[in-house]
Amino acid sequence: VANSSGHKRELKSLGKAATAEANEQLMHLKTALAAERIRPWLVDRVCENMRAGKKTLLFTGLREEVERIRTQVAQRLGGKVEEGRGFPAIVTTKGTIWATYGESHDAKERNALAREYNSHEGAAFLVGTGDVIGESLNLQNTDELIHGQLPWSPVQVIQRTGRVKSRLGRTKPVTIVFPVALGTIAER
């Protein structure tokens, strides 16, 4: 049994890896649950803002939430996809909706999206993940920024908020919202 200590180390190492993977899966599930619980409020808030003619920027942490929120807002406002605008958008009677997440768009496309969003007249809604629109984009024409899922790092909050606040050309105040679904991981 000369090799048993080596097996024990390997087993312990595999156990730690399995535990880390299980913890990551558990965290994803907890985050998804929080997103599911807060989504109805987010959709209501965005629709209310669009009816009021506002531009709303919503950050979420999960790629699948981007499409769910975009779809629900579009359905609520009677939207249809309009592809010929340089960047796919959903046009509704109350405004225009864009979505971006993950590696779905490169830097050039994201900058084009920011230009289109900023120059758009009237109500607009941009939803995306923080890794895509949380840095390097100037979205100064936003009326309300919603952190749909608060990132774990305060630096990411600062980066996201910096997309709309204290930017060159910013002439009006911006509302920043941090909604939390009670009884979820977001409450911590």
Side-chain angles (χ1 to χ4, degrees):
V1 189
N3 208 7
S4 70
S5 65
H7 290 311
K8 286 181 183 177
R9 279 194 301 272
E10 184 178 352
L11 185 58
K12 189 175 182 179
S13 174
L14 287 173
K16 286 181 182 177
T19 302
E21 185 177 323
N23 285 340
E24 187 175 319
Q25 289 174 347
L26 181 61
M27 185 61 69
H28 181 79
L29 288 173
K30 287 180 177 182
T31 303
L33 175 63
E36 185 178 307
R37 297 261 316 272
I38 198 75
R39 188 181 326 121
W41 184 90
L42 293 171
V43 171
D44 288 346
R45 181 69 176 225
V46 169
C47 290
E48 178 183 308
N49 284 348
M50 290 188 75
R51 287 184 188 107
K54 295 180 180 180
K55 284 189 176 178
T56 305
L57 174 61
L58 170 62
F59 287 107
T60 184
L62 301 172
R63 296 174 78 167
E64 56 268 23
E65 275 305 296
V66 171
E67 282 304 319
R68 286 182 185 127
I69 293 168
R70 174 186 173 186
T71 300
Q72 288 180 19
V73 169
Q75 288 171 343
R76 181 93 55 90
L77 298 176
K80 64 181 177 101
V81 177
E82 187 176 281
E83 297 288 344
R85 299 172 57 92
F87 200 91
I90 295 176
V91 178
T92 74
T93 57
K94 299 298 179 189
T96 303
I97 302 167
W98 295 274
T100 185
Y101 51 84
E103 297 174 2
S104 59
H105 305 101
D106 63 23
K108 185 177 177 182
E109 291 171 318
R110 289 190 303 271
N111 285 324
L113 170 62
R115 282 191 302 278
E116 189 169 335
Y117 172 82
N118 283 324
S119 65
H120 182 74
E121 294 293 326
F125 171 48
L126 172 57
V127 57
T129 55
D131 60 329
V132 174
I133 56 175
E135 296 181 18
S136 304
L137 291 181
N138 185 359
L139 300 165
Q140 83 276 1
N141 289 338
T142 297
D143 296 304
E144 182 166 290
L145 165 62
I146 304 172
H147 293 276
Q149 290 174 313
L150 197 58
W152 296 107
S153 167
V155 172
Q156 289 177 313
V157 174
I158 293 166
Q159 280 288 336
R160 290 176 178 188
T161 304
R163 302 307 95 221
V164 300
K165 202 172 176 202
S166 304
R167 304 297 286 188
L168 294 174
R170 179 88 199 163
T171 58
K172 58 186 176 180
V174 61
T175 302
I176 301 173
V177 181
F178 296 93
V180 175
L182 299 178
T184 68
I185 193 168
E187 190 176 16
R188 291 184 183 176

